[in-house]
Amino acid sequence: MDLEFSAEDEAYRAKLKVWLAENLGGGKGSVNELMKSATEGGNKDPLAGARVWPRKLWEAGYVGLAWPKAYGGQDASFTEQVICAEELAKARTPPMINTIGLSIIGPTLVQHGTEEQKKRFLPRILRADDLWCQGFSEPEAGSDLASLRCRAELDGDSFVVTGQKVWTSLAPISDWMFLLTRSDPDAPKREGISYLLCDMKTPGITVRPLRNAAGGMHFSEVFLDQVRIPRENLVGELHGGWKIARSSLDHERSGLSGVLALEETLGRLWRMASQIDRGGEKAVEGPTTRRLLAQHWIEIEGLRHLGYRTLSDQIAGAAPGAGSSVGKLFASDLRSRMARTGLRIEGPLAQVAKRSPHVIDRGRWHAAYFDALGHAIGGGTSEIMRGVIAEKVLGLPRATED
Amino acid sequence: MDFRLSEEQEALREVARDFLAARWPADKMRAALDAQPALVDDDVWKEIVEMGWLGVAAPEASGGIGGGVVTAAVLAEEAGRGILPGPFLSSLTAALAAESCGDDVLLGEIIEGRSRVALAVEEPGGSWGPDAVCLAATPCDEGWSLSGTKILVRDGQEADVLLVVARAPDGLALLKVPADVPGLARNRMLLMDGQSASELVLEDVRVGSDARLGGGEGGLLEAYEKATVLCAADLLGSAQASLELATEYAKERVQFGRPIGSFQAVSHRLADDLMKLEIGRSLLYGASLALDDRRENASALVSAAKAWLNEAAIAAVESALQIHGGVGFTWEYDVHLHMRRVRCNVACHGDADFHRDRVASHMDAALAAEGSGP
């Protein structure tokens, strides 16, 4: 066993750090400068500023690391992928607006797309030319996703799609949506689903933003009324969309970059607890808070070492072990626990609204709390994930019939 | 970057598992609960020594296999799974201590089975570890005079030599005390899992100045970290076995016309247990490797592994008992053997809060070094 990165890997890390330092500063030619100037001078693209960072990062070779070079990727090793994700997580970078494209539809097209689809879509995802949203969930198809009803009928060279999608993140600013449709209503429910790519400018699409429990406007309802999608935008086989959707949920990651974010959160918790008074001493001096924070340190180290196991399996080309399937669930639970700890350390002041001047840490812990609870629902609820672990790893019988 | 066990380590695990399944039936452990505390049969012990298990960690130059703490943890895990009683783990613990404190002669005697050695750390007073040691080592004409009490010394009753942690004027010391030395009284302490332990009462026990091992306080503390890691590995082994028993039972047991494992109240509980054990496994091998690599956060990782596995193992054995229903609550079923062992190990070398406090101290230092600021 060893947990050292090779000299080549460390050289890669050093080069990336230098690049980040040069580009994230405030000087001339820096990303901040470019983002400001992008929206000046009558540029009609309201997202021009937001595209600066992902594009710059791609030009430098730090986006699409796992993708083939032929489509603008880097064909990078697993260790380079991890190092890149780690360093980006450590640096205070602007947000990536093309995350859904990079993390879900991109890898799906790499694996299942036609040559034309790969050439057409992948480079535009990498450059943040196209932003994507996901059309999976429906009002009657949440955890039971395979019961979706959005209808796709083949009419000549195109599908005619009618139905409703919901919880669609970033729909109003997206250029494209990948969606699951019911193409054969008579087949068993998992065998009549087709995976389609839809231009959001096609007539018949209505997007209605929904306000979420935290007050934000991150997701929307999307209504499709007789929307025509060319047949060439079918991914994989006709009626074969279910397996592709499942595989896109299976893109296992070591989760090591997420560990760095949790580590930073723990540092914040510790500093807050060192400053806040609790019963005549600083909160961090009380045994309850100390042990709670120590427990988070333990949990983060557990997740980090679990990530090393997953990464090692990937490097060795071995089938992912039991560990990789539990990392996502554990990380999601841990985020919630740490957000709760934040509110607990705030004590009585945890009641104060974010927009009140009395709020601690600009309301960070309220936001983190809602965010964490949302994460336990989105992209597969924790209950569904426990069911998957029970079935796939422990081999227990399914809870449902189908 | 390769955080996986090597092929050799996996092969050793398999050999150990098969050997223990064949040579140490759980029934013997059950019988020990009503009679004398359990020790493995002499012929099984002889084979364990011959297979070199006690030298699993030690460098080849010292007569070992050179597997380090990581490989020792593999064997400790299998001992937990196989409900193996002493003196294997107590001897392995003593071997690691002899190595940490640089006593190659003693190490050789343990590895070759010529001497049975037990490590004596804990004392009455309700806490754990070297910090809580009061037993005094006072310089005298012959060397050292030792007075005080040790408790919960695993397999201390059967040992030829006791490795006693004592407080000397210049700091903590580890001293070799022959079991037959005048002034030493050994009283058996029965453990709830059927294993053997001792209370040692030392009244002006005299040993030579060469009885003190080297390595200073650092070596002694390292020895205790290693003992703690082996205990955590033992917990993982018992817990993993319990999870597997419960999972198999949940697949077979039919109620309401379905296997009970199809009910989410059962399957989600087992999924949670699996998740906790996978995190625990990651921490255990992370801590073992950190000890082998002498990383600065090794001791915090050891505490992380022990604190986490204490709670994860209890969750797993309690689930196993609950999911087996009435059958699991019978004397004949093995679940209670694991539960007893887990309950002993949880209270051995520090409970979860003890180790969380140690982690918090590490954070004090680490975050202060980082420099605080909003």
Side-chain angles (χ1 to χ4, degrees):
Chain A
M1 275 187 178
D2 82 273
L3 291 179
E4 305 293 331
F5 287 105
S6 69
E8 292 80 22
D9 286 334
E10 289 303 343
Y12 177 86
R13 186 193 296 277
K15 199 175 142 211
L16 170 54
K17 277 174 142 167
V18 169
W19 185 86
L20 285 169
E22 281 171 358
N23 285 277
L24 289 175
K28 205 166 151 50
S30 74
V31 170
N32 275 339
E33 192 78 6
L34 292 170
M35 283 172 74
K36 267 185 219 146
S37 59
T39 43
E40 288 163 6
N43 192 327
K44 281 187 191 130
D45 176 10
L47 295 171
R51 289 187 217 273
V52 166
W53 171 245
R55 207 164 277 173
K56 182 120 188 132
L57 199 60
W58 174 72
E59 282 164 2
Y62 297 121
V63 177
L65 270 71
W67 301 10
K69 281 203 165 127
Y71 314 111
Q74 297 294 330
D75 271 324
S77 68
F78 286 112
T79 48
E80 284 172 350
Q81 292 174 40
V82 165
I83 288 168
C84 184
E86 279 186 353
E87 292 307 320
L88 289 174
K90 274 193 252 174
R92 310 225 153 183
T93 60
M96 295 285 280
I97 48 169
N98 52 343
T99 305
I100 296 175
L102 291 172
S103 63
I104 308 176
I105 184 62
T108 300
L109 289 177
V110 168
Q111 208 180 339
H112 302 283
T114 63
E115 190 57 28
E116 286 71 28
Q117 286 167 348
K118 290 181 198 177
K119 279 190 181 141
R120 180 177 171 197
F121 295 113
L122 294 178
R124 295 185 59 81
I125 291 172
L126 290 169
R127 287 197 307 262
D129 292 338
D130 291 339
L131 305 187
W132 286 75
C133 60
Q134 170 175 288
F136 281 11
S137 295
E138 296 180 9
E140 302 298 325
S143 289
D144 183 12
L145 184 59
S147 68
L148 60 94
R149 295 195 292 213
C150 180
R151 188 78 175 90
E153 276 179 277
L154 203 49
D155 176 28
D157 278 345
S158 53
F159 292 93
V160 179
V161 179
T162 299
Q164 184 190 346
K165 294 292 175 183
V166 74
W167 322 133
T168 307
S169 296
L170 305 181
I173 62 164
S174 288
D175 305 288
W176 286 82
M177 174 165 67
F178 54 98
L179 74 164
L180 295 177
T181 57
R182 174 72 49 205
S183 49
D184 182 355
D186 301 322
K189 66 181 189 179
R190 288 157 199 263
E191 289 160 33
I193 292 171
S194 291
Y195 196 121
L196 303 177
L197 309 175
C198 175
D199 185 338
M200 290 295 277
K201 287 184 287 296
T202 319
I205 297 177
T206 311
V207 175
R208 193 157 71 196
L210 292 168
R211 195 166 184 199
N212 69 21
M217 303 285 273
H218 296 291
F219 50 52
S220 300
E221 294 176 290
V222 178
F223 298 89
L224 300 101
D225 182 16
Q226 305 276 312
V227 174
R228 293 195 83 85
I229 299 177
R231 183 168 181 154
E232 69 205 41
N233 289 1
L234 169 72
V235 182
E237 311 254 322
L238 182 66
H239 312 317
W242 181 251
K243 276 186 193 149
I244 293 174
R246 285 304 298 262
S247 82
S248 74
L249 300 173
D250 280 348
H251 291 131
E252 292 289 358
R253 274 153 206 283
S254 60
L256 284 167
S257 55
V259 168
L260 290 166
L262 291 168
E263 211 173 14
E264 196 189 313
T265 305
L266 180 57
R268 280 182 193 283
L269 285 172
W270 187 273
R271 287 193 294 274
M272 176 166 70
S274 309
Q275 286 157 7
I276 285 186
D277 293 317
R278 178 65 39 81
E281 57 182 4
K282 295 296 176 198
V284 77
E285 287 155 14
T288 312
T289 303
R290 276 181 81 74
R291 286 172 182 169
L292 207 47
L293 293 171
Q295 182 70 5
H296 293 326
W297 190 91
I298 293 167
E299 291 165 327
I300 291 170
E301 286 307 317
L303 195 61
R304 186 201 312 279
H305 286 87
L306 187 78
Y308 289 144
R309 286 169 63 197
T310 305
L311 174 62
S312 303
D313 282 340
Q314 287 176 328
I315 293 170
S324 65
S325 63
V326 302
K328 231 166 93 180
L329 176 59
F330 186 75
S332 162
D333 284 353
L334 178 53
R335 277 177 64 156
S336 306
R337 285 196 292 273
M338 290 177 73
R340 279 185 211 110
T341 300
L343 294 174
R344 187 169 173 167
I345 292 170
E346 286 188 351
L349 289 175
Q351 301 173 82
V352 178
K354 184 175 178 167
R355 58 206 161 84
S356 163
H358 300 92
V359 75
I360 295 178
D361 226 349
R362 284 178 292 177
R364 170 187 300 281
W365 302 106
H366 280 171
Y369 178 63
F370 273 110
D371 200 39
L373 296 188
H375 260 265
I377 299 168
T381 65
S382 299
E383 289 72 23
I384 289 294
M385 281 155 71
R386 283 186 171 80
V388 170
I389 292 167
E391 187 190 336
K392 306 277 185 219
V393 185
L394 293 172
L396 290 167
R398 287 180 63 93
T400 49
E401 297 296 323
D402 56 25
Chain B
M1 169 64 64
D2 189 2
F3 190 44
R4 300 179 308 153
L5 293 173
S6 68
E7 279 175 32
E8 291 81 9
Q9 285 161 333
E10 293 288 5
L12 178 64
R13 179 196 290 290
E14 213 162 300
V15 167
R17 189 172 296 186
D18 293 347
F19 176 81
L20 294 180
R23 303 299 306 277
W24 181 253
D27 281 337
K28 293 202 177 185
M29 204 69 217
R30 206 179 333 266
L33 293 171
D34 285 329
Q36 287 300 303
L39 288 169
V40 290
D41 303 335
D42 284 344
D43 57 330
V44 176
W45 178 242
K46 211 169 146 237
E47 280 183 72
I48 285 177
V49 172
E50 277 165 9
M51 287 188 288
W53 285 10
L54 298 175
V56 64
E60 286 172 41
S62 310
I65 298 172
V69 180
V70 170
T71 320
V74 170
L75 285 184
E77 205 192 321
E78 291 309 313
R81 164 186 281 272
I83 325 179
L84 179 71
F88 171 61
L89 275 172
S90 58
S91 302
L92 183 57
T93 301
L96 290 170
E99 190 192 333
S100 287
C101 297
D103 193 330
D104 255 21
V105 176
L106 185 68
L107 178 57
E109 284 177 13
I110 298 170
I111 292 175
E112 287 163 26
R114 283 185 280 127
S115 188
R116 284 198 185 181
V117 183
L119 182 64
V121 187
E122 320 298 9
E123 298 185 6
S127 190
W128 294 271
D131 282 353
V133 166
C134 296
L135 189 141
T138 318
C140 63
D141 290 345
E142 298 95 316
W144 298 97
S145 160
L146 305 174
S147 290
T149 303
K150 292 287 175 190
I151 58 170
L152 296 164
V153 180
R154 297 284 183 111
D155 306 312
Q157 214 65 6
E158 296 78 16
D160 312 312
V161 176
L162 298 147
L163 280 180
V164 175
V165 181
R167 204 164 279 283
D170 60 335
L172 289 167
L174 189 62
L175 297 114
K176 282 180 278 195
V177 177
D180 55 2
V181 73
L184 169 64
R186 288 193 284 183
N187 307 309
R188 191 178 295 283
M189 291 178 88
L190 288 171
L191 300 186
M192 75 171 281
D193 70 344
Q195 293 204 59
S196 167
S198 297
E199 174 193 55
L200 310 179
V201 182
L202 293 84
E203 279 178 45
D204 191 20
V205 166
R206 303 287 174 116
V207 291
S209 50
D210 58 346
R212 184 172 179 176
L213 272 64
E217 267 198 20
L220 185 151
L221 294 175
E222 187 184 282
Y224 192 69
E225 309 286 4
K226 291 178 178 177
T228 306
V229 151
L230 292 186
C231 187
D234 192 326
L235 278 167
L236 175 61
S238 283
Q240 184 73 37
S242 303
L243 173 66
E244 289 171 18
L245 280 175
T247 303
E248 288 315 304
Y249 187 77
K251 288 178 193 172
E252 287 160 17
R253 172 70 173 168
V254 173
Q255 289 285 272
F256 304 103
R258 302 161 66 176
I260 60 169
S262 69
F263 297 118
Q264 292 176 339
V266 173
S267 65
H268 286 195
R269 183 168 180 172
L270 292 172
D272 273 333
D273 292 339
L274 172 86
M275 178 170 75
K276 288 175 192 164
L277 294 189
E278 288 301 325
I279 292 291
R281 179 176 297 284
S282 308
L283 283 169
L284 174 72
Y285 286 100
S288 304
L289 185 61
L291 283 171
D292 280 333
D293 290 352
R294 295 176 183 275
R295 286 176 187 256
E296 56 83 30
N297 66 347
S299 127
L301 282 173
V302 168
S303 281
K306 184 63 166 59
W308 184 265
L309 280 165
N310 271 358
E311 293 180 343
I314 287 171
V317 290
E318 288 185 358
S319 293
L321 194 74
Q322 178 72 18
I323 287 168
H324 278 87
V327 166
F329 209 70
T330 59
W331 187 253
E332 288 70 28
Y333 224 77
D334 289 351
V335 176
H336 73 97
L337 299 177
H338 286 295
M339 173 160 280
R340 288 164 185 280
R341 189 170 180 108
V342 163
R343 274 288 161 200
C344 284
N345 281 327
V346 157
C348 178
H349 299 327
D351 69 3
D353 278 340
F354 173 86
H355 285 289
R356 278 191 279 261
D357 287 343
R358 281 178 29 119
V359 167
S361 303
H362 168 80
M363 291 169 76
D364 278 332
L367 292 166
E370 217 172 76
S372 59

PDB file of all heavy atoms in Angstrom, chain B residues 15 23 52-53 79 97 131 141 205 327 343:
ATOM      1  N   VAL B  15      -5.821 -17.623   3.696  1.00  0.00           N
ATOM      2  CA  VAL B  15      -5.236 -18.736   4.456  1.00  0.00           C
ATOM      3  C   VAL B  15      -5.705 -18.675   5.911  1.00  0.00           C
ATOM      4  O   VAL B  15      -6.136 -19.674   6.505  1.00  0.00           O
ATOM      5  CB  VAL B  15      -3.681 -18.680   4.396  1.00  0.00           C
ATOM      6  CG1 VAL B  15      -3.074 -19.618   5.430  1.00  0.00           C
ATOM      7  CG2 VAL B  15      -3.198 -19.028   3.001  1.00  0.00           C
ATOM      8  N   ARG B  23      -9.934 -24.983  12.128  1.00  0.00           N
ATOM      9  CA  ARG B  23      -9.261 -25.410  13.353  1.00  0.00           C
ATOM     10  C   ARG B  23      -9.817 -24.804  14.629  1.00  0.00           C
ATOM     11  O   ARG B  23      -9.457 -25.226  15.726  1.00  0.00           O
ATOM     12  CB  ARG B  23      -7.753 -25.099  13.252  1.00  0.00           C
ATOM     13  CG  ARG B  23      -7.061 -25.740  12.061  1.00  0.00           C
ATOM     14  CD  ARG B  23      -7.143 -27.265  12.093  1.00  0.00           C
ATOM     15  NE  ARG B  23      -6.655 -27.811  13.344  1.00  0.00           N
ATOM     16  CZ  ARG B  23      -5.377 -28.043  13.619  1.00  0.00           C
ATOM     17  NH1 ARG B  23      -4.466 -27.778  12.704  1.00  0.00           N
ATOM     18  NH2 ARG B  23      -5.018 -28.536  14.776  1.00  0.00           N
ATOM     19  N   GLY B  52       4.186 -18.365  11.307  1.00  0.00           N
ATOM     20  CA  GLY B  52       4.873 -17.072  11.384  1.00  0.00           C
ATOM     21  C   GLY B  52       3.964 -15.886  11.636  1.00  0.00           C
ATOM     22  O   GLY B  52       4.354 -14.745  11.417  1.00  0.00           O
ATOM     23  N   TRP B  53       2.744 -16.153  12.107  1.00  0.00           N
ATOM     24  CA  TRP B  53       1.782 -15.063  12.278  1.00  0.00           C
ATOM     25  C   TRP B  53       2.260 -14.013  13.294  1.00  0.00           C
ATOM     26  O   TRP B  53       1.909 -12.855  13.186  1.00  0.00           O
ATOM     27  CB  TRP B  53       0.426 -15.611  12.744  1.00  0.00           C
ATOM     28  CG  TRP B  53      -0.332 -16.297  11.644  1.00  0.00           C
ATOM     29  CD1 TRP B  53       0.129 -16.630  10.405  1.00  0.00           C
ATOM     30  CD2 TRP B  53      -1.689 -16.740  11.709  1.00  0.00           C
ATOM     31  NE1 TRP B  53      -0.860 -17.257   9.680  1.00  0.00           N
ATOM     32  CE2 TRP B  53      -1.981 -17.335  10.461  1.00  0.00           C
ATOM     33  CE3 TRP B  53      -2.690 -16.698  12.689  1.00  0.00           C
ATOM     34  CZ2 TRP B  53      -3.239 -17.866  10.176  1.00  0.00           C
ATOM     35  CZ3 TRP B  53      -3.929 -17.233  12.410  1.00  0.00           C
ATOM     36  CH2 TRP B  53      -4.205 -17.819  11.159  1.00  0.00           C
ATOM     37  N   ALA B  79      -8.887 -12.722  13.075  1.00  0.00           N
ATOM     38  CA  ALA B  79      -9.059 -13.259  14.428  1.00  0.00           C
ATOM     39  C   ALA B  79     -10.416 -12.844  14.993  1.00  0.00           C
ATOM     40  O   ALA B  79     -11.099 -13.632  15.648  1.00  0.00           O
ATOM     41  CB  ALA B  79      -7.935 -12.771  15.333  1.00  0.00           C
ATOM     42  N   ALA B  97       4.945  -4.216  20.234  1.00  0.00           N
ATOM     43  CA  ALA B  97       5.515  -3.341  21.266  1.00  0.00           C
ATOM     44  C   ALA B  97       7.025  -3.540  21.356  1.00  0.00           C
ATOM     45  O   ALA B  97       7.787  -2.569  21.446  1.00  0.00           O
ATOM     46  CB  ALA B  97       4.847  -3.618  22.616  1.00  0.00           C
ATOM     47  N   ASP B 131      -1.314   7.833  29.294  1.00  0.00           N
ATOM     48  CA  ASP B 131      -1.480   9.068  30.079  1.00  0.00           C
ATOM     49  C   ASP B 131      -2.030   8.800  31.461  1.00  0.00           C
ATOM     50  O   ASP B 131      -1.754   9.543  32.407  1.00  0.00           O
ATOM     51  CB  ASP B 131      -2.461  10.022  29.364  1.00  0.00           C
ATOM     52  CG  ASP B 131      -1.780  10.739  28.219  1.00  0.00           C
ATOM     53  OD1 ASP B 131      -0.549  10.582  28.082  1.00  0.00           O
ATOM     54  OD2 ASP B 131      -2.479  11.431  27.451  1.00  0.00           O
ATOM     55  N   ASP B 141      18.781  -0.207  43.915  1.00  0.00           N
ATOM     56  CA  ASP B 141      20.113  -0.778  43.715  1.00  0.00           C
ATOM     57  C   ASP B 141      20.160  -1.748  42.548  1.00  0.00           C
ATOM     58  O   ASP B 141      21.068  -1.716  41.719  1.00  0.00           O
ATOM     59  CB  ASP B 141      20.581  -1.508  44.984  1.00  0.00           C
ATOM     60  CG  ASP B 141      20.885  -0.495  46.077  1.00  0.00           C
ATOM     61  OD1 ASP B 141      21.004   0.713  45.724  1.00  0.00           O
ATOM     62  OD2 ASP B 141      20.981  -0.896  47.253  1.00  0.00           O
ATOM     63  N   VAL B 205       8.208  -4.757  43.379  1.00  0.00           N
ATOM     64  CA  VAL B 205       8.783  -5.774  42.489  1.00  0.00           C
ATOM     65  C   VAL B 205      10.115  -5.243  41.971  1.00  0.00           C
ATOM     66  O   VAL B 205      10.177  -4.125  41.449  1.00  0.00           O
ATOM     67  CB  VAL B 205       7.826  -6.076  41.322  1.00  0.00           C
ATOM     68  CG1 VAL B 205       8.536  -6.859  40.220  1.00  0.00           C
ATOM     69  CG2 VAL B 205       6.589  -6.824  41.804  1.00  0.00           C
ATOM     70  N   VAL B 327     -34.286 -16.567  16.983  1.00  0.00           N
ATOM     71  CA  VAL B 327     -33.198 -17.525  16.746  1.00  0.00           C
ATOM     72  C   VAL B 327     -31.846 -16.926  17.159  1.00  0.00           C
ATOM     73  O   VAL B 327     -31.000 -17.589  17.750  1.00  0.00           O
ATOM     74  CB  VAL B 327     -33.159 -17.912  15.245  1.00  0.00           C
ATOM     75  CG1 VAL B 327     -31.866 -18.608  14.892  1.00  0.00           C
ATOM     76  CG2 VAL B 327     -34.345 -18.801  14.908  1.00  0.00           C
ATOM     77  N   ARG B 343     -18.347  -6.111  22.467  1.00  0.00           N
ATOM     78  CA  ARG B 343     -18.539  -5.341  23.707  1.00  0.00           C
ATOM     79  C   ARG B 343     -17.232  -5.254  24.509  1.00  0.00           C
ATOM     80  O   ARG B 343     -16.959  -4.239  25.149  1.00  0.00           O
ATOM     81  CB  ARG B 343     -19.671  -5.948  24.539  1.00  0.00           C
ATOM     82  CG  ARG B 343     -21.040  -5.417  24.141  1.00  0.00           C
ATOM     83  CD  ARG B 343     -21.195  -3.983  24.589  1.00  0.00           C
ATOM     84  NE  ARG B 343     -22.257  -3.277  23.892  1.00  0.00           N
ATOM     85  CZ  ARG B 343     -22.351  -1.955  23.821  1.00  0.00           C
ATOM     86  NH1 ARG B 343     -21.442  -1.186  24.384  1.00  0.00           N
ATOM     87  NH2 ARG B 343     -23.337  -1.394  23.180  1.00  0.00           N
TER      88      ARG B 343
END
